[in-house]
Amino acid sequence: MRQSSVRGEGSRRRVPEPRDGGGDRAPREESGAGAPHDAERRGGEARSREGAGAGDTASAAGAGAGGRAESRRAARAESAGGGRRRKGKGPRRKRSRGVRILRWTALTLAVLIVGAAGAGYLYYEHLNSNIKKAELDLGDSKLTKPEPNAAGQTPLNILLIGQDSRNDKENLKLGGAKQDVGRKGLADVQMLVHVSADRSNMSVISIPRDTRVTIPKCTDPENDEVYEKSFAPINESLTHGGPGCTVATWKELTGIYIDHFMMVDFKGVVDMADAIGGVPVCVDKNIYSHDSRGHGSGLRLTKGTHPVKGVQALQWLRTRYGFEDNTDIGRAKAQHMYMSSMIRQLKSGTKLSDPGKLMDLAEAATNALTVDHGLGTVKKLYDLGNDLKRVPTKRTTMVTMPWEYRNDGEYVVPKPGDAEKTFSLIRNDTALDGKDKKKKDKVPAPSQPKGELPVIVQNGTGSTVLGPVGGRAGVITGELIRLGYAKADANRELTSQADTTISYPGEAKQGDALAVAKALGLPKSAVKESKSVTDVTLVVGNDWREGTAFPKSAADDEDKAPEIADKTNGEEKKCMSVNDGYTF
């Protein structure tokens, strides 16, 4: 991450721009190259690129322009029975089911993708063929899908990826950087969308593109090339076999199970921003994102609110030089503002009432998308839209992962404690706005003496990055027996789980599970009802990799994201702060 200046904890300091692998200044941002690639794996040939426009947007390239236009014309003719779309003012027919489906599917993708909107149900097979698909997870994580809550509901986690590939004329024209033609795209926008199990709230976490993390071992499904585990910028994960490696990286970093991913590229953002008619954004001063060294996205706006679309929408999403401290942190905030505004715009319904415009939107979206196989049809996207439309805008919260600078500001890493706290809230389906209904503090009595209570203990430390800790189930089983739980027994099957949990099969056993938690020093939040267990079951997670004393404190039960997470609410209408060096 290059930054001209960095603001932190109430102070301001100058930070040198990082140098590339050859020791020279890195190339220009919006015309530059990607982050450094692994030199050893390529026989010692060092490459260095800077990743030009992160905060950008993403996905594999769509279908060719000519074929797309021809398909669109044919589809429109078919859906209209061979006639033309009605013009002028006349009696309006009742809105069809297809239009309703188009509208909500469009809302789904708009909520989920930076600068994107939806698909439709009309000319179904044609649109399905537009959608590109890839493997969901290229790693070897043993994370399992969260257990349903007492009502049988499960949360939904979707990773949004924006890639900066310049491997066709359209993306090259929009992104510049001719020297990057032919290189693999970098995952320069990464946002995890978490929808609560009861669909009452949605939380979005961004991770800055140059955050240094452990990228797990991934195997490219196209050519079976193996990419060994490495410590590198998180945006490079996309070059290790595709979006499935980015998903694997997030799972290992956060401990959060990911259900789906969606990816879009430069031209996809432009096409879809045009199709939805623009998104209102606001700046607190005139801004021109350009300087004498060639830094900047080219965004030029006067003070106030403006509806941006097309190339201008892409510039907003890519702007780093000109917002706040000229860092990826400010860029992530601008992306959150854009996303919140787009949600409000689409929920108002004003842009999605014309079937012709919806068909344009459907073509643009499905041509731009790359998704996992589990989300690879319009019907599945529509079903997803039905889930998302239930989330109130006021319960949508967007944050940036808590971070701190390393190597004199050259890059960031997850901030110890605060980052894990934020991830833990998502894992436990706790809203980041802190407005979940408080649970009653009633503690039911155990149903039977502890010496007669069967307790199953399982080792959940099977992390592919940290490595499993052998014998954890046996150690904690021994501790339970010492505490009087004579029927405690170890399940020798290894699994992977970030948080230690105690599950119970029904309300009658809740008091027993809470008593086990109290005996071991676990917080009440670790106790959960599950329909998949028949006895009280303790899984020893990666947060308890040694000893018999649980290492977390009571403060870990707090139910709000750390203040450093820089929260944005879906209903807030704010103006982006413009850096004084990029105003006019």
Side-chain angles (χ1 to χ4, degrees):
M1 165 192 308
R2 300 176 321 288
Q3 39 258 342
S4 300
S5 61
V6 176
R7 181 175 60 207
E9 304 294 334
S11 63
R12 198 170 188 85
R13 60 190 179 90
R14 299 286 296 179
V15 176
E17 294 187 353
R19 297 179 181 272
D20 65 12
D24 298 324
R25 290 284 182 185
R28 302 187 307 180
E29 175 203 6
E30 268 73 23
S31 61
H37 290 197
D38 185 339
E40 290 183 12
R41 187 181 57 75
R42 291 176 170 79
E45 177 186 357
R47 293 186 183 178
S48 176
R49 298 186 174 89
E50 183 201 51
D56 323 3
T57 38
S59 161
R68 188 185 318 155
E70 184 177 347
S71 297
R72 187 185 299 126
R73 288 194 296 271
R76 286 177 178 169
E78 179 182 346
S79 65
R84 297 180 178 177
R85 278 184 285 160
R86 180 174 58 87
K87 296 182 179 180
K89 296 182 180 179
R92 297 186 64 181
R93 290 183 291 181
K94 185 178 180 180
R95 181 178 297 164
S96 70
R97 180 172 179 269
V99 171
R100 293 196 303 273
I101 291 173
L102 275 168
R103 175 175 175 177
W104 281 117
T105 305
L107 176 57
T108 299
L109 299 182
V111 168
L112 292 179
I113 302 176
V114 181
Y121 205 82
L122 303 177
Y123 53 108
Y124 181 82
E125 291 301 326
H126 165 68
L127 292 180
N128 280 343
S129 68
N130 286 346
I131 302 172
K132 295 168 287 296
K133 294 173 278 292
E135 295 298 321
L136 174 62
D137 186 355
L138 301 183
D140 190 28
S141 171
K142 294 180 175 59
L143 282 179
T144 57
K145 190 175 180 67
E147 293 287 343
N149 60 17
Q153 303 163 313
T154 54
L156 184 65
N157 296 308
I158 302 169
L159 183 63
L160 313 182
I161 302 171
Q163 70 144 316
D164 70 348
S165 171
R166 278 90 165 172
N167 289 336
D168 61 45
K169 290 182 179 179
E170 283 187 74
N171 280 312
L172 178 60
K173 181 179 179 181
L174 293 166
K178 292 182 180 179
Q179 65 268 33
D180 280 352
V181 173
R183 75 156 168 83
K184 295 180 179 180
L186 300 168
D188 276 351
V189 174
Q190 298 179 40
M191 295 184 183
L192 182 69
V193 176
H194 170 84
V195 187
S196 65
D198 62 5
R199 305 308 188 246
S200 68
N201 65 84
M202 183 167 71
S203 301
V204 181
I205 302 178
S206 291
I207 292 184
R209 64 171 179 166
D210 67 347
T211 303
R212 261 46 169 193
V213 299
T214 298
I215 300 176
K217 178 180 177 181
C218 293
T219 301
D220 190 329
E222 296 295 324
N223 56 21
D224 293 327
E225 182 174 0
V226 176
Y227 295 84
E228 296 297 338
K229 182 173 72 174
S230 61
F231 184 72
I234 194 169
N235 67 348
E236 288 188 22
S237 60
L238 188 64
T239 71
H240 292 200
C245 195
T246 303
V247 169
T249 301
W250 271 76
K251 289 172 73 173
E252 291 296 344
L253 173 67
T254 66
I256 298 169
Y257 181 85
I258 296 177
D259 299 274
H260 302 291
F261 75 81
M262 290 180 163
M263 189 166 73
V264 68
D265 62 5
F266 290 161
K267 70 174 182 291
V269 169
V270 170
D271 289 346
M272 288 183 281
D274 284 341
I276 64 175
V279 174
V281 296
C282 180
V283 287
D284 65 356
K285 301 187 206 56
N286 296 349
I287 181 174
Y288 182 37
S289 179
H290 180 76
D291 65 18
S292 59
R293 294 176 295 171
H295 292 147
S297 68
L299 178 70
R300 186 181 180 95
L301 293 172
T302 55
K303 177 181 177 180
T305 301
H306 305 269
V308 294
K309 60 182 179 178
V311 173
Q312 200 170 48
L314 179 63
Q315 289 173 335
W316 176 275
L317 294 166
R318 298 183 66 206
T319 293
R320 170 170 59 164
Y321 289 98
F323 286 152
E324 298 195 341
D325 288 338
N326 301 329
T327 71
D328 282 324
I329 310 305
R331 173 156 48 193
K333 184 185 291 187
Q335 291 165 0
H336 292 165
M337 287 184 177
Y338 181 97
M339 201 168 172
S340 295
S341 180
M342 184 167 53
I343 293 170
R344 295 192 299 270
Q345 185 87 338
L346 289 168
K347 279 200 169 186
S348 72
T350 57
K351 300 295 181 182
L352 299 175
S353 58
D354 184 290
K357 291 180 180 179
L358 283 171
M359 291 172 75
D360 288 341
L361 186 55
E363 285 286 347
T366 54
N367 272 306
L369 280 176
T370 299
V371 301
D372 63 278
H373 293 282
L375 202 57
T377 68
V378 173
K379 176 62 166 60
K380 290 175 180 177
L381 293 171
Y382 167 60
D383 290 342
L384 182 60
N386 274 336
D387 268 349
L388 289 171
K389 73 179 183 181
R390 295 162 52 190
V391 180
T393 306
K394 64 182 179 181
R395 293 300 311 280
T396 298
T397 307
M398 302 181 189
V399 305
T400 299
M401 174 198 73
W403 50 270
E404 64 182 22
Y405 286 110
R406 290 286 173 85
N407 200 22
D408 197 24
E410 182 180 349
Y411 57 84
V412 301
V413 295
K415 183 171 184 178
D418 283 351
E420 171 56 25
K421 172 62 179 175
T422 305
F423 299 149
S424 178
L425 291 172
I426 295 296
R427 291 194 300 262
N428 289 286
D429 200 20
T430 302
L432 296 185
D433 60 7
K435 295 180 181 178
D436 281 344
K437 292 181 179 178
K438 301 297 181 183
K439 297 177 181 178
K440 295 180 180 179
D441 200 23
K442 180 181 178 181
V443 180
S447 67
Q448 61 189 114
K450 62 183 179 180
E452 299 176 9
L453 177 72
V455 180
I456 306 301
V457 183
Q458 187 172 11
N459 186 349
T461 64
S463 168
T464 58
V465 170
L466 298 174
V469 180
R472 288 302 290 155
V475 169
I476 302 304
T477 297
E479 177 65 5
L480 283 170
I481 291 173
R482 188 188 70 79
L483 292 169
Y485 289 89
K487 289 192 174 182
D489 189 27
N491 176 345
R492 303 298 177 182
E493 183 179 352
L494 180 67
T495 186
S496 180
Q497 189 168 291
D499 302 301
T500 298
T501 60
I502 299 178
S503 302
Y504 59 94
E507 188 174 349
K509 293 292 183 183
Q510 183 182 12
D512 300 293
L514 286 167
V516 172
K518 183 177 180 180
L520 291 171
L522 295 170
K524 291 178 184 177
S525 60
V527 179
K528 305 175 186 297
E529 183 176 357
S530 170
K531 298 182 182 300
S532 67
V533 298
T534 55
D535 294 301
V536 173
T537 300
L538 166 64
V539 178
V540 184
N542 278 299
D543 59 349
W544 195 8
R545 293 172 63 85
E546 61 183 14
T548 57
F550 188 67
K552 290 189 176 180
S553 67
D556 295 308
D557 250 350
E558 295 178 3
D559 59 359
K560 283 202 304 185
E563 289 304 317
I564 194 173
D566 197 13
K567 293 191 288 287
T568 299
N569 181 270
E571 283 195 340
E572 291 176 331
K573 298 180 180 180
K574 293 183 176 180
C575 293
M576 196 64 196
S577 176
V578 175
N579 186 287
D580 288 336
Y582 290 85
T583 189
F584 65 92

